Amino acid sequence: MAYPNVFLLINGEWRAAAHGETLDVINPANGKIIGNVAKAARDDIERSLKAAQAGFKSWSATSAYDRAKKMRRAADLVRARADDIARLLTLEEGKPYAEARNEVVNCAELIDWFADEARRTYGRLIPARQAGVMSATVKEPVGPAIGFTPWNFPVAQVTRKLAPALAAGCSIVIKAPEETPASPAALIQCFVDADIAPGVIGLLYGEPSEISSYAIPHPTIRKVSFTGSVPVGKHLAALASAHMKRITMELGGHGPVIVCEDADLESAASALAMAKFRNAGQVCVAPTRFIVHEAVYAEFTDLFTKKAQALKIGDGLDAGTTMGPLINERRRASVERLIADAVEKGASLKCGGERIAGDGFFFQPTVLADVTTEMVAMNEEPFGPIALFMSYSKLDDAIAEANRLPFGLAAYVWTRDAKKASALGRGIESGMVTINHLGIALPETPYGGIRESGYGSEGGPEAVEAYLNTKFVSHLSE
Ligand code: NAD
């Protein structure tokens, strides 16, 4: 399947941008231009919001039962087309094909789950104070929404906005990533082919700030959901607040990992190395700060380093590749800067640390030991293949380190001691804590951060709630 040029979806039609502008799409595995994507003009944004208004009228009037049926049809198409969508994803994003395919298949599962959840958006009856009064809450869709999604999970991040919005009865305009446009377009084609009416889903690409500054204040839009960096999230949250729009913010993190002296070190190293280097570390919930008990620090660091050294770096479409390139040169330079700073301040480089020569934006999986909190990497989200190791002696110090940064997205704990597990589960300030396994990001579980990592959830029933208003109706019938 050749890489296609990608268009905007406005009112059910795939079209070029009003002024014909496009942006190049680059394969990060070789740095070559593989196609282009339409760059929306102001007219396109306005048209797509108008279509979303009409789409909302029809979709919110469609029964939850019928909405669910159409969503399930879309999920079946996603599964049937998983190979092709995954190939596009790898070509434009770089992750190994197996990871890409997993992402796509998981999206089908997310859509199915949210389709069923559409049928469970119950209100409640409230005991009235007067005979003849029926007091009830009714769940109503909040209105047309806009979702801004990033390049690191081009299909999954769209699905985490689209599926709950549709389940709730909202129309939604997706501003998908310009770096990786074809796989989200192929995902959305499945919804078009499942016969979801024009205007219910719109798809835009363009200059992100131009689209957000126009669409968020626009009276049509009633809900904003953003996934991306903390600074951009703060900016968009302020803009949405100024116009009193509902928001969900899924931002960055700096995943702390606490490995206790009684942990199953082999299981921890295998699971955490996989989680760390998945998508070359460009994952908001990636484990990053490894806080390891001093009694097992050397052994665990060595075990983990061996796992990092065993990775096979290459083009995601080549068989056997377990880690692909970074998305662009900007990310590679950023990772390099963090490593140079850490080494200069005394970190010891256990493996990696360098870019890989040749075409594409490849970087070695990197393990830095004996890090300190003065190092920039210990404070800024690396968003790349860097694991940072430090030791602790008292559990309270480990918890204090986990909570030191203003983020609170995902945290990881390894211990066989139930008391410690309980203390850590309660003590770590984070939206998600997973103990002795990698247990986050299932359709039915909440997915989101606290503190500067944002607010709201993109998993579980909470994700649908984010697209619903609770209306109170009290009726005296006698
Ligand atoms: P960036 O800050 O330039 O952009 C982050 C995302 O926000 C991109 O998708 C971009 O298109 C979008 N964006 C930027 N300005 C915007 C605006 N004014 N309006 C609407 N959208 C806007 O960072 P980047 O170099 O693309 O990505 C690296 C950083 O982004 C990382 O450090 C990481 O913290 C964050 N990130 C987080 C996630 C996540 O899953 N939470 C995903 C991707 C990127």
Side-chain angles (χ1 to χ4, degrees), residues 148-152 157 175 177-179 208-209 212 226-230 232 235-236 250-252 283-284 330-331 381 383 409:
F148 296 88
T149 65
W151 45 264
N152 60 339
Q157 305 279 21
K175 203 299 282 171
E178 294 70 32
E179 296 89 341
S209 60
S212 57
F226 171 76
T227 301
S229 61
V230 174
V232 177
H235 168 68
L236 297 188
E250 172 60 57
L251 309 177
V283 179
C284 55
R330 193 154 54 94
R331 285 247 53 74
E381 184 179 26
F383 224 63
L409 189 55

PDB file of all heavy atoms in Angstrom, residues 148-152 157 175 177-179 208-209 212 226-230 232 235-236 250-252 283-284 330-331 381 383 409, ligand 1:
ATOM      1  N   PHE A 148      -7.585  17.814  20.054  1.00  0.00           N
ATOM      2  CA  PHE A 148      -6.235  18.013  19.484  1.00  0.00           C
ATOM      3  C   PHE A 148      -5.393  16.809  19.877  1.00  0.00           C
ATOM      4  O   PHE A 148      -5.222  16.537  21.079  1.00  0.00           O
ATOM      5  CB  PHE A 148      -5.612  19.293  20.038  1.00  0.00           C
ATOM      6  CG  PHE A 148      -6.359  20.532  19.646  1.00  0.00           C
ATOM      7  CD1 PHE A 148      -7.409  21.001  20.427  1.00  0.00           C
ATOM      8  CD2 PHE A 148      -6.036  21.209  18.479  1.00  0.00           C
ATOM      9  CE1 PHE A 148      -8.123  22.140  20.062  1.00  0.00           C
ATOM     10  CE2 PHE A 148      -6.738  22.349  18.103  1.00  0.00           C
ATOM     11  CZ  PHE A 148      -7.780  22.814  18.896  1.00  0.00           C
ATOM     12  N   THR A 149      -4.851  16.111  18.900  1.00  0.00           N
ATOM     13  CA  THR A 149      -4.153  14.851  19.213  1.00  0.00           C
ATOM     14  C   THR A 149      -2.712  14.876  18.699  1.00  0.00           C
ATOM     15  O   THR A 149      -2.419  15.509  17.683  1.00  0.00           O
ATOM     16  CB  THR A 149      -4.897  13.653  18.584  1.00  0.00           C
ATOM     17  OG1 THR A 149      -4.835  13.766  17.169  1.00  0.00           O
ATOM     18  CG2 THR A 149      -6.343  13.603  19.036  1.00  0.00           C
ATOM     19  N   PRO A 150      -1.810  14.189  19.411  1.00  0.00           N
ATOM     20  CA  PRO A 150      -0.389  14.230  19.055  1.00  0.00           C
ATOM     21  C   PRO A 150       0.054  13.067  18.163  1.00  0.00           C
ATOM     22  O   PRO A 150      -0.704  12.116  17.933  1.00  0.00           O
ATOM     23  CB  PRO A 150       0.282  14.129  20.423  1.00  0.00           C
ATOM     24  CG  PRO A 150      -0.617  13.237  21.195  1.00  0.00           C
ATOM     25  CD  PRO A 150      -2.017  13.458  20.681  1.00  0.00           C
ATOM     26  N   TRP A 151       1.306  13.135  17.763  1.00  0.00           N
ATOM     27  CA  TRP A 151       1.870  12.213  16.779  1.00  0.00           C
ATOM     28  C   TRP A 151       2.329  10.896  17.379  1.00  0.00           C
ATOM     29  O   TRP A 151       2.589   9.953  16.663  1.00  0.00           O
ATOM     30  CB  TRP A 151       3.060  12.887  16.067  1.00  0.00           C
ATOM     31  CG  TRP A 151       3.983  13.582  17.036  1.00  0.00           C
ATOM     32  CD1 TRP A 151       3.962  14.908  17.361  1.00  0.00           C
ATOM     33  CD2 TRP A 151       5.012  12.990  17.850  1.00  0.00           C
ATOM     34  NE1 TRP A 151       4.913  15.169  18.334  1.00  0.00           N
ATOM     35  CE2 TRP A 151       5.580  14.017  18.649  1.00  0.00           C
ATOM     36  CE3 TRP A 151       5.519  11.700  17.987  1.00  0.00           C
ATOM     37  CZ2 TRP A 151       6.618  13.791  19.544  1.00  0.00           C
ATOM     38  CZ3 TRP A 151       6.549  11.465  18.891  1.00  0.00           C
ATOM     39  CH2 TRP A 151       7.075  12.505  19.645  1.00  0.00           C
ATOM     40  N   ASN A 152       2.502  10.806  18.723  1.00  0.00           N
ATOM     41  CA  ASN A 152       3.174   9.601  19.262  1.00  0.00           C
ATOM     42  C   ASN A 152       2.301   8.348  19.228  1.00  0.00           C
ATOM     43  O   ASN A 152       2.810   7.247  19.078  1.00  0.00           O
ATOM     44  CB  ASN A 152       3.740   9.861  20.668  1.00  0.00           C
ATOM     45  CG  ASN A 152       2.685  10.253  21.675  1.00  0.00           C
ATOM     46  OD1 ASN A 152       1.601  10.712  21.300  1.00  0.00           O
ATOM     47  ND2 ASN A 152       2.983  10.091  22.931  1.00  0.00           N
ATOM     48  N   GLN A 157      -4.672   8.017  20.163  1.00  0.00           N
ATOM     49  CA  GLN A 157      -5.055   9.282  20.798  1.00  0.00           C
ATOM     50  C   GLN A 157      -6.310   9.858  20.163  1.00  0.00           C
ATOM     51  O   GLN A 157      -7.121  10.504  20.835  1.00  0.00           O
ATOM     52  CB  GLN A 157      -3.907  10.301  20.709  1.00  0.00           C
ATOM     53  CG  GLN A 157      -2.595   9.805  21.286  1.00  0.00           C
ATOM     54  CD  GLN A 157      -2.521   9.932  22.796  1.00  0.00           C
ATOM     55  OE1 GLN A 157      -3.540  10.021  23.477  1.00  0.00           O
ATOM     56  NE2 GLN A 157      -1.326   9.915  23.337  1.00  0.00           N
ATOM     57  N   LYS A 175      -8.375  17.629  15.371  1.00  0.00           N
ATOM     58  CA  LYS A 175      -7.183  18.240  14.760  1.00  0.00           C
ATOM     59  C   LYS A 175      -6.075  17.234  15.017  1.00  0.00           C
ATOM     60  O   LYS A 175      -5.525  17.141  16.106  1.00  0.00           O
ATOM     61  CB  LYS A 175      -6.879  19.594  15.408  1.00  0.00           C
ATOM     62  CG  LYS A 175      -6.068  20.547  14.538  1.00  0.00           C
ATOM     63  CD  LYS A 175      -4.701  20.038  14.156  1.00  0.00           C
ATOM     64  CE  LYS A 175      -3.710  20.177  15.296  1.00  0.00           C
ATOM     65  NZ  LYS A 175      -2.413  19.468  15.001  1.00  0.00           N
ATOM     66  N   PRO A 177      -2.415  15.047  14.118  1.00  0.00           N
ATOM     67  CA  PRO A 177      -1.032  15.526  13.967  1.00  0.00           C
ATOM     68  C   PRO A 177      -0.579  15.604  12.500  1.00  0.00           C
ATOM     69  O   PRO A 177      -0.788  14.668  11.735  1.00  0.00           O
ATOM     70  CB  PRO A 177      -0.216  14.480  14.728  1.00  0.00           C
ATOM     71  CG  PRO A 177      -1.085  13.295  14.856  1.00  0.00           C
ATOM     72  CD  PRO A 177      -2.490  13.722  14.751  1.00  0.00           C
ATOM     73  N   GLU A 178       0.035  16.719  12.181  1.00  0.00           N
ATOM     74  CA  GLU A 178       0.533  16.922  10.818  1.00  0.00           C
ATOM     75  C   GLU A 178       1.703  15.987  10.522  1.00  0.00           C
ATOM     76  O   GLU A 178       1.953  15.627   9.375  1.00  0.00           O
ATOM     77  CB  GLU A 178       1.001  18.381  10.637  1.00  0.00           C
ATOM     78  CG  GLU A 178      -0.115  19.414  10.713  1.00  0.00           C
ATOM     79  CD  GLU A 178      -0.700  19.571  12.113  1.00  0.00           C
ATOM     80  OE1 GLU A 178       0.050  19.402  13.089  1.00  0.00           O
ATOM     81  OE2 GLU A 178      -1.905  19.849  12.214  1.00  0.00           O
ATOM     82  N   GLU A 179       2.437  15.582  11.586  1.00  0.00           N
ATOM     83  CA  GLU A 179       3.599  14.688  11.374  1.00  0.00           C
ATOM     84  C   GLU A 179       3.138  13.308  10.923  1.00  0.00           C
ATOM     85  O   GLU A 179       3.841  12.634  10.171  1.00  0.00           O
ATOM     86  CB  GLU A 179       4.389  14.519  12.687  1.00  0.00           C
ATOM     87  CG  GLU A 179       5.037  15.777  13.237  1.00  0.00           C
ATOM     88  CD  GLU A 179       4.120  16.575  14.163  1.00  0.00           C
ATOM     89  OE1 GLU A 179       2.888  16.377  14.110  1.00  0.00           O
ATOM     90  OE2 GLU A 179       4.638  17.409  14.917  1.00  0.00           O
ATOM     91  N   PRO A 208      -1.352  24.270  14.154  1.00  0.00           N
ATOM     92  CA  PRO A 208      -2.134  23.992  15.364  1.00  0.00           C
ATOM     93  C   PRO A 208      -2.637  25.247  16.080  1.00  0.00           C
ATOM     94  O   PRO A 208      -3.798  25.306  16.492  1.00  0.00           O
ATOM     95  CB  PRO A 208      -1.146  23.219  16.245  1.00  0.00           C
ATOM     96  CG  PRO A 208      -0.176  22.610  15.301  1.00  0.00           C
ATOM     97  CD  PRO A 208      -0.076  23.541  14.131  1.00  0.00           C
ATOM     98  N   SER A 209      -1.767  26.280  16.196  1.00  0.00           N
ATOM     99  CA  SER A 209      -2.192  27.465  16.955  1.00  0.00           C
ATOM    100  C   SER A 209      -3.294  28.222  16.210  1.00  0.00           C
ATOM    101  O   SER A 209      -4.162  28.837  16.829  1.00  0.00           O
ATOM    102  CB  SER A 209      -0.994  28.380  17.223  1.00  0.00           C
ATOM    103  OG  SER A 209      -0.443  28.785  16.012  1.00  0.00           O
ATOM    104  N   SER A 212      -6.502  26.145  16.948  1.00  0.00           N
ATOM    105  CA  SER A 212      -6.989  26.238  18.340  1.00  0.00           C
ATOM    106  C   SER A 212      -7.467  27.651  18.657  1.00  0.00           C
ATOM    107  O   SER A 212      -8.484  27.818  19.325  1.00  0.00           O
ATOM    108  CB  SER A 212      -5.910  25.782  19.319  1.00  0.00           C
ATOM    109  OG  SER A 212      -4.735  26.525  19.170  1.00  0.00           O
ATOM    110  N   PHE A 226      -7.416  17.984  24.783  1.00  0.00           N
ATOM    111  CA  PHE A 226      -6.064  18.140  24.221  1.00  0.00           C
ATOM    112  C   PHE A 226      -5.130  17.094  24.801  1.00  0.00           C
ATOM    113  O   PHE A 226      -5.142  16.845  26.011  1.00  0.00           O
ATOM    114  CB  PHE A 226      -5.520  19.539  24.540  1.00  0.00           C
ATOM    115  CG  PHE A 226      -4.060  19.718  24.183  1.00  0.00           C
ATOM    116  CD1 PHE A 226      -3.660  19.882  22.863  1.00  0.00           C
ATOM    117  CD2 PHE A 226      -3.067  19.709  25.176  1.00  0.00           C
ATOM    118  CE1 PHE A 226      -2.305  20.030  22.538  1.00  0.00           C
ATOM    119  CE2 PHE A 226      -1.722  19.860  24.854  1.00  0.00           C
ATOM    120  CZ  PHE A 226      -1.342  20.015  23.532  1.00  0.00           C
ATOM    121  N   THR A 227      -4.315  16.493  23.967  1.00  0.00           N
ATOM    122  CA  THR A 227      -3.214  15.646  24.433  1.00  0.00           C
ATOM    123  C   THR A 227      -1.927  16.216  23.866  1.00  0.00           C
ATOM    124  O   THR A 227      -1.818  16.422  22.648  1.00  0.00           O
ATOM    125  CB  THR A 227      -3.390  14.189  23.958  1.00  0.00           C
ATOM    126  OG1 THR A 227      -4.622  13.702  24.473  1.00  0.00           O
ATOM    127  CG2 THR A 227      -2.264  13.304  24.468  1.00  0.00           C
ATOM    128  N   GLY A 228      -0.963  16.476  24.734  1.00  0.00           N
ATOM    129  CA  GLY A 228       0.314  17.026  24.265  1.00  0.00           C
ATOM    130  C   GLY A 228       1.126  17.525  25.439  1.00  0.00           C
ATOM    131  O   GLY A 228       0.985  17.010  26.556  1.00  0.00           O
ATOM    132  N   SER A 229       1.947  18.541  25.188  1.00  0.00           N
ATOM    133  CA  SER A 229       2.885  18.968  26.221  1.00  0.00           C
ATOM    134  C   SER A 229       2.214  19.865  27.268  1.00  0.00           C
ATOM    135  O   SER A 229       1.178  20.488  27.004  1.00  0.00           O
ATOM    136  CB  SER A 229       4.062  19.705  25.578  1.00  0.00           C
ATOM    137  OG  SER A 229       3.586  20.841  24.899  1.00  0.00           O
ATOM    138  N   VAL A 230       2.826  19.968  28.430  1.00  0.00           N
ATOM    139  CA  VAL A 230       2.279  20.773  29.530  1.00  0.00           C
ATOM    140  C   VAL A 230       2.155  22.258  29.129  1.00  0.00           C
ATOM    141  O   VAL A 230       1.093  22.858  29.330  1.00  0.00           O
ATOM    142  CB  VAL A 230       3.117  20.595  30.817  1.00  0.00           C
ATOM    143  CG1 VAL A 230       2.652  21.542  31.911  1.00  0.00           C
ATOM    144  CG2 VAL A 230       3.067  19.145  31.292  1.00  0.00           C
ATOM    145  N   VAL A 232       1.772  23.736  26.221  1.00  0.00           N
ATOM    146  CA  VAL A 232       0.668  23.962  25.266  1.00  0.00           C
ATOM    147  C   VAL A 232      -0.664  23.707  25.970  1.00  0.00           C
ATOM    148  O   VAL A 232      -1.632  24.455  25.789  1.00  0.00           O
ATOM    149  CB  VAL A 232       0.818  23.064  24.004  1.00  0.00           C
ATOM    150  CG1 VAL A 232      -0.368  23.251  23.077  1.00  0.00           C
ATOM    151  CG2 VAL A 232       2.113  23.377  23.265  1.00  0.00           C
ATOM    152  N   HIS A 235      -1.699  26.677  27.956  1.00  0.00           N
ATOM    153  CA  HIS A 235      -2.151  27.752  27.068  1.00  0.00           C
ATOM    154  C   HIS A 235      -3.585  27.490  26.596  1.00  0.00           C
ATOM    155  O   HIS A 235      -4.450  28.370  26.644  1.00  0.00           O
ATOM    156  CB  HIS A 235      -1.170  27.836  25.893  1.00  0.00           C
ATOM    157  CG  HIS A 235      -1.651  28.682  24.766  1.00  0.00           C
ATOM    158  ND1 HIS A 235      -1.792  30.048  24.885  1.00  0.00           N
ATOM    159  CD2 HIS A 235      -2.058  28.360  23.506  1.00  0.00           C
ATOM    160  CE1 HIS A 235      -2.262  30.526  23.736  1.00  0.00           C
ATOM    161  NE2 HIS A 235      -2.434  29.521  22.897  1.00  0.00           N
ATOM    162  N   LEU A 236      -3.855  26.247  26.177  1.00  0.00           N
ATOM    163  CA  LEU A 236      -5.193  25.931  25.653  1.00  0.00           C
ATOM    164  C   LEU A 236      -6.232  25.907  26.776  1.00  0.00           C
ATOM    165  O   LEU A 236      -7.385  26.309  26.572  1.00  0.00           O
ATOM    166  CB  LEU A 236      -5.177  24.592  24.910  1.00  0.00           C
ATOM    167  CG  LEU A 236      -4.286  24.536  23.661  1.00  0.00           C
ATOM    168  CD1 LEU A 236      -4.502  23.231  22.909  1.00  0.00           C
ATOM    169  CD2 LEU A 236      -4.516  25.715  22.727  1.00  0.00           C
ATOM    170  N   GLU A 250      -4.740  16.026  28.711  1.00  0.00           N
ATOM    171  CA  GLU A 250      -3.923  14.824  28.878  1.00  0.00           C
ATOM    172  C   GLU A 250      -2.490  15.219  28.523  1.00  0.00           C
ATOM    173  O   GLU A 250      -2.132  15.283  27.346  1.00  0.00           O
ATOM    174  CB  GLU A 250      -4.494  13.763  27.925  1.00  0.00           C
ATOM    175  CG  GLU A 250      -3.701  12.502  27.797  1.00  0.00           C
ATOM    176  CD  GLU A 250      -3.561  11.821  29.109  1.00  0.00           C
ATOM    177  OE1 GLU A 250      -4.594  11.528  29.715  1.00  0.00           O
ATOM    178  OE2 GLU A 250      -2.410  11.613  29.504  1.00  0.00           O
ATOM    179  N   LEU A 251      -1.681  15.560  29.557  1.00  0.00           N
ATOM    180  CA  LEU A 251      -0.400  16.226  29.270  1.00  0.00           C
ATOM    181  C   LEU A 251       0.794  15.326  29.583  1.00  0.00           C
ATOM    182  O   LEU A 251       0.650  14.117  29.670  1.00  0.00           O
ATOM    183  CB  LEU A 251      -0.355  17.551  30.036  1.00  0.00           C
ATOM    184  CG  LEU A 251      -1.596  18.434  29.827  1.00  0.00           C
ATOM    185  CD1 LEU A 251      -1.527  19.697  30.658  1.00  0.00           C
ATOM    186  CD2 LEU A 251      -1.826  18.754  28.362  1.00  0.00           C
ATOM    187  N   GLY A 252       1.925  15.926  29.772  1.00  0.00           N
ATOM    188  CA  GLY A 252       3.149  15.128  29.933  1.00  0.00           C
ATOM    189  C   GLY A 252       3.314  14.574  31.342  1.00  0.00           C
ATOM    190  O   GLY A 252       2.534  14.865  32.250  1.00  0.00           O
ATOM    191  N   VAL A 283       6.495   8.410  24.947  1.00  0.00           N
ATOM    192  CA  VAL A 283       5.227   7.974  25.527  1.00  0.00           C
ATOM    193  C   VAL A 283       5.009   8.775  26.796  1.00  0.00           C
ATOM    194  O   VAL A 283       5.906   8.840  27.646  1.00  0.00           O
ATOM    195  CB  VAL A 283       5.291   6.454  25.867  1.00  0.00           C
ATOM    196  CG1 VAL A 283       3.998   5.978  26.494  1.00  0.00           C
ATOM    197  CG2 VAL A 283       5.630   5.623  24.630  1.00  0.00           C
ATOM    198  N   CYS A 284       3.832   9.383  26.933  1.00  0.00           N
ATOM    199  CA  CYS A 284       3.622  10.249  28.103  1.00  0.00           C
ATOM    200  C   CYS A 284       3.656   9.449  29.405  1.00  0.00           C
ATOM    201  O   CYS A 284       4.050   9.976  30.437  1.00  0.00           O
ATOM    202  CB  CYS A 284       2.337  11.036  27.971  1.00  0.00           C
ATOM    203  SG  CYS A 284       0.894  10.012  27.689  1.00  0.00           S
ATOM    204  N   ARG A 330      14.401  17.462  15.869  1.00  0.00           N
ATOM    205  CA  ARG A 330      14.212  18.293  17.064  1.00  0.00           C
ATOM    206  C   ARG A 330      14.232  17.427  18.335  1.00  0.00           C
ATOM    207  O   ARG A 330      14.870  17.762  19.328  1.00  0.00           O
ATOM    208  CB  ARG A 330      12.872  19.028  16.932  1.00  0.00           C
ATOM    209  CG  ARG A 330      12.623  20.148  17.892  1.00  0.00           C
ATOM    210  CD  ARG A 330      11.651  21.163  17.282  1.00  0.00           C
ATOM    211  NE  ARG A 330      10.417  20.536  16.827  1.00  0.00           N
ATOM    212  CZ  ARG A 330       9.306  20.444  17.551  1.00  0.00           C
ATOM    213  NH1 ARG A 330       9.272  20.908  18.771  1.00  0.00           N
ATOM    214  NH2 ARG A 330       8.220  19.881  17.055  1.00  0.00           N
ATOM    215  N   ARG A 331      13.547  16.291  18.293  1.00  0.00           N
ATOM    216  CA  ARG A 331      13.502  15.406  19.466  1.00  0.00           C
ATOM    217  C   ARG A 331      14.886  14.804  19.733  1.00  0.00           C
ATOM    218  O   ARG A 331      15.302  14.629  20.859  1.00  0.00           O
ATOM    219  CB  ARG A 331      12.501  14.267  19.284  1.00  0.00           C
ATOM    220  CG  ARG A 331      11.077  14.667  19.424  1.00  0.00           C
ATOM    221  CD  ARG A 331      10.402  14.059  20.641  1.00  0.00           C
ATOM    222  NE  ARG A 331      11.077  14.278  21.900  1.00  0.00           N
ATOM    223  CZ  ARG A 331      11.105  15.428  22.576  1.00  0.00           C
ATOM    224  NH1 ARG A 331      10.474  16.490  22.137  1.00  0.00           N
ATOM    225  NH2 ARG A 331      11.758  15.529  23.715  1.00  0.00           N
ATOM    226  N   GLU A 381      10.540  16.380  31.092  1.00  0.00           N
ATOM    227  CA  GLU A 381      10.147  15.099  30.495  1.00  0.00           C
ATOM    228  C   GLU A 381      11.085  14.781  29.334  1.00  0.00           C
ATOM    229  O   GLU A 381      11.157  15.555  28.379  1.00  0.00           O
ATOM    230  CB  GLU A 381       8.714  15.221  29.980  1.00  0.00           C
ATOM    231  CG  GLU A 381       8.173  13.933  29.419  1.00  0.00           C
ATOM    232  CD  GLU A 381       6.738  14.083  28.932  1.00  0.00           C
ATOM    233  OE1 GLU A 381       6.334  15.200  28.570  1.00  0.00           O
ATOM    234  OE2 GLU A 381       6.032  13.060  28.916  1.00  0.00           O
ATOM    235  N   PHE A 383      10.946  12.415  27.014  1.00  0.00           N
ATOM    236  CA  PHE A 383      10.220  12.023  25.802  1.00  0.00           C
ATOM    237  C   PHE A 383      11.149  11.415  24.766  1.00  0.00           C
ATOM    238  O   PHE A 383      11.186  11.797  23.594  1.00  0.00           O
ATOM    239  CB  PHE A 383       9.468  13.222  25.214  1.00  0.00           C
ATOM    240  CG  PHE A 383       8.072  12.862  24.792  1.00  0.00           C
ATOM    241  CD1 PHE A 383       7.142  12.438  25.719  1.00  0.00           C
ATOM    242  CD2 PHE A 383       7.687  12.912  23.464  1.00  0.00           C
ATOM    243  CE1 PHE A 383       5.857  12.075  25.340  1.00  0.00           C
ATOM    244  CE2 PHE A 383       6.406  12.560  23.073  1.00  0.00           C
ATOM    245  CZ  PHE A 383       5.484  12.137  24.029  1.00  0.00           C
ATOM    246  N   LEU A 409       1.252  11.668  36.343  1.00  0.00           N
ATOM    247  CA  LEU A 409       0.521  10.905  35.325  1.00  0.00           C
ATOM    248  C   LEU A 409       0.541   9.413  35.669  1.00  0.00           C
ATOM    249  O   LEU A 409      -0.408   8.897  36.233  1.00  0.00           O
ATOM    250  CB  LEU A 409       1.128  11.197  33.949  1.00  0.00           C
ATOM    251  CG  LEU A 409       0.382  10.662  32.735  1.00  0.00           C
ATOM    252  CD1 LEU A 409      -1.069  11.123  32.717  1.00  0.00           C
ATOM    253  CD2 LEU A 409       1.060  11.097  31.437  1.00  0.00           C
TER     254      LEU A 409
HETATM  255  P1  NAD B   1       4.993  20.632  21.231  1.00  0.00           P
HETATM  256  O1  NAD B   1       4.880  21.197  22.589  1.00  0.00           O
HETATM  257  O2  NAD B   1       5.501  21.482  20.133  1.00  0.00           O
HETATM  258  O3  NAD B   1       3.572  20.074  20.753  1.00  0.00           O
HETATM  259  C1  NAD B   1       2.850  19.124  21.470  1.00  0.00           C
HETATM  260  C2  NAD B   1       1.536  18.896  20.727  1.00  0.00           C
HETATM  261  O4  NAD B   1       0.743  20.065  20.827  1.00  0.00           O
HETATM  262  C3  NAD B   1       1.678  18.640  19.234  1.00  0.00           C
HETATM  263  O5  NAD B   1       0.751  17.636  18.870  1.00  0.00           O
HETATM  264  C4  NAD B   1       1.320  19.966  18.582  1.00  0.00           C
HETATM  265  O6  NAD B   1       0.731  19.805  17.317  1.00  0.00           O
HETATM  266  C5  NAD B   1       0.320  20.527  19.553  1.00  0.00           C
HETATM  267  N1  NAD B   1       0.284  21.973  19.622  1.00  0.00           N
HETATM  268  C6  NAD B   1       1.342  22.816  19.752  1.00  0.00           C
HETATM  269  N2  NAD B   1       0.909  24.094  19.841  1.00  0.00           N
HETATM  270  C7  NAD B   1      -0.443  24.055  19.757  1.00  0.00           C
HETATM  271  C8  NAD B   1      -1.468  25.045  19.795  1.00  0.00           C
HETATM  272  N3  NAD B   1      -1.188  26.363  19.962  1.00  0.00           N
HETATM  273  N4  NAD B   1      -2.753  24.647  19.670  1.00  0.00           N
HETATM  274  C9  NAD B   1      -3.064  23.346  19.523  1.00  0.00           C
HETATM  275  N5  NAD B   1      -2.138  22.368  19.495  1.00  0.00           N
HETATM  276  C10 NAD B   1      -0.850  22.712  19.622  1.00  0.00           C
HETATM  277  O7  NAD B   1       5.876  19.328  21.383  1.00  0.00           O
HETATM  278  P2  NAD B   1       6.362  18.220  20.339  1.00  0.00           P
HETATM  279  O8  NAD B   1       7.807  18.471  20.050  1.00  0.00           O
HETATM  280  O9  NAD B   1       5.432  17.990  19.222  1.00  0.00           O
HETATM  281  O10 NAD B   1       6.252  16.985  21.331  1.00  0.00           O
HETATM  282  C11 NAD B   1       7.134  16.845  22.392  1.00  0.00           C
HETATM  283  C12 NAD B   1       6.504  17.189  23.711  1.00  0.00           C
HETATM  284  O11 NAD B   1       5.104  17.064  23.680  1.00  0.00           O
HETATM  285  C13 NAD B   1       6.987  16.206  24.733  1.00  0.00           C
HETATM  286  O12 NAD B   1       7.934  16.778  25.549  1.00  0.00           O
HETATM  287  C14 NAD B   1       5.768  15.774  25.496  1.00  0.00           C
HETATM  288  O13 NAD B   1       5.728  16.398  26.750  1.00  0.00           O
HETATM  289  C15 NAD B   1       4.612  16.306  24.740  1.00  0.00           C
HETATM  290  N6  NAD B   1       3.744  15.259  24.198  1.00  0.00           N
HETATM  291  C16 NAD B   1       2.932  14.628  25.051  1.00  0.00           C
HETATM  292  C17 NAD B   1       2.091  13.655  24.578  1.00  0.00           C
HETATM  293  C18 NAD B   1       1.168  12.920  25.479  1.00  0.00           C
HETATM  294  O14 NAD B   1       0.758  11.838  25.135  1.00  0.00           O
HETATM  295  N7  NAD B   1       0.772  13.491  26.611  1.00  0.00           N
HETATM  296  C19 NAD B   1       2.105  13.337  23.228  1.00  0.00           C
HETATM  297  C20 NAD B   1       2.957  14.011  22.380  1.00  0.00           C
HETATM  298  C21 NAD B   1       3.771  14.998  22.875  1.00  0.00           C
END
